[in-house]
């Protein structure tokens, strides 16, 4: 019986120390949604690109501060110059206090929120929280400060909050991790979609320029970096113009004016194009319509009568 209890204890101990609440390595990527009081927001990208060695340990630059995760101790350290300071202690039980330097060069007494399991970043994950709260004595110089961090196992900082309140002002922000990529895991919540609304038909040579219309959908509209139509012109199987771009503008449905110079076109030329959407996420993805290959049409002889082109929708989804 004692032998069984010892095995269970060793197993639980091993599980605790196998947790890594801040895996650090060159190339790790993080994208945060930053809510700024009272009603502003922005997206913040952090990519680990630098490291230094202090006392034989590798510290990685994360947001302008250098951190080292000691998995054996289950503690996070930071360095300022040649000094190594405790940034977070993931062993501290819930409601217990500990001194940490994660908020700057001065020590702050944080309260542990302990470890729990939460539904975050697309899965059930283990989380550790720590907060610092201070309120001065009542009076004309009264003020209150709140600092909070949450760490998620095998990911790192998932939430970072700061607020300052006195008799004259209230300011602060919270950063929430929305996407990440490291050597262990990745999470990409972004969805982008483009629907070409214009019909793809052979076009008389005197029907240039012309308009393309497309519908853009995204669950993070502000992270759509650019949307354009990419054209190439072929004559007798030889490419004349390669990847000429025409930007879509406006709100969805968006429009692009295709200004291929008709004086440089000849009847029978083959024109290939596709719609391209690039994002401003940490993944820097490109989305194409069609998914592969190109739409294509031929340049036809000019028409002398005003002819109305068909307006039947020919929609293509990414």
């Amino acid at each position: 019986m004692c032998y069984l209890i010892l095995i269970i204890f060793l197993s639980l101990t091993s599980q605790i120390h196998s947790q890594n609440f801040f895996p650090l390595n060159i190339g790790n990527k993080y994208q945060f949604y930053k809510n700024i009081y009272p009603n502003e927001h922005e997206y913040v990208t952090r990519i680990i690109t630098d490291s230094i060695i202090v006392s034989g340990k590798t510290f990685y630059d994360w947001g302008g501060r250098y951190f080292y995760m000691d998995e054996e101790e289950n503690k996070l350290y930071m360095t300022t110059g040649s000094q190594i300071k405790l940034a977070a202690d993931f062993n501290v039980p819930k409601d217990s206090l500990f001194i940490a330097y994660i908020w700057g060069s001065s020590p702050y007494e944080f309260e542990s929120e302990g470890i729990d399991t939460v539904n975050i970043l697309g899965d059930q994950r283990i989380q550790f929280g720590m907060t610092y709260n201070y309120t001065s004595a009542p009076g004309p110089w009264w003020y209150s400060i709140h600092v909070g961090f949450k760490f998620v196992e095998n990911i790192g900082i998932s939430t970072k909050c700061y607020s300052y309140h006195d008799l004259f002002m209230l300011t602060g922000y919270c950063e929430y991790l929305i996407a990440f990529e490291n050597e262990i895991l990745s999470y990409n919540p972004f969805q982008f979609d483009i629907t070409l609304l214009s019909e793809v038909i052979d076009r008389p040579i005197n029907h240039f320029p012309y308009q393309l219309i497309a519908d853009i959908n995204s669950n993070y509209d502000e992270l759509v970096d650019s949307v354009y139509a990419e054209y190439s012109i072929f004559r007798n199987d030889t490419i004349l113009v390669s990847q000429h771009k025409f930007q879509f503008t406006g709100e969805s449905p968006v429009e692009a004016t295709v200004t291929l110079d008709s004086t440089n076109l000849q009847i029978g030329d083959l024109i290939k194009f596709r719609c391209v959407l690039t994002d401003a996420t940490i993944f820097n993805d490109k989305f194409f319509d069609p998914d592969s290959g190109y739409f294509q049409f031929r340049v036809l002889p000019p028409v002398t009568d005003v002819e109305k082109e068909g307006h039947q929708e020919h929609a293509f989804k990414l």
Side-chain angles (χ1 to χ4, degrees), residues 189-216:
F190 307 117
Q191 299 175 9
F192 298 99
D193 176 279
I194 178 170
T195 303
L196 181 64
L197 301 180
S198 300
E199 186 179 9
V200 182
I201 57 174
D202 293 339
R203 179 169 296 275
I205 196 170
N206 59 339
H207 281 202
F208 292 88
Y210 73 98
Q211 298 294 118
L212 271 186
I213 301 175
D215 188 32
I216 306 299

Side-chain angles (χ1 to χ4, degrees), residues 170-191:
L170 173 60
T171 185
Y173 66 87
C174 271
E175 295 183 4
Y176 303 98
L177 186 66
I178 58 175
F180 68 92
E181 184 176 51
N182 60 36
E183 290 185 328
I184 305 172
L185 297 170
S186 67
Y187 177 64
N188 183 350
F190 307 117
Q191 299 175 9

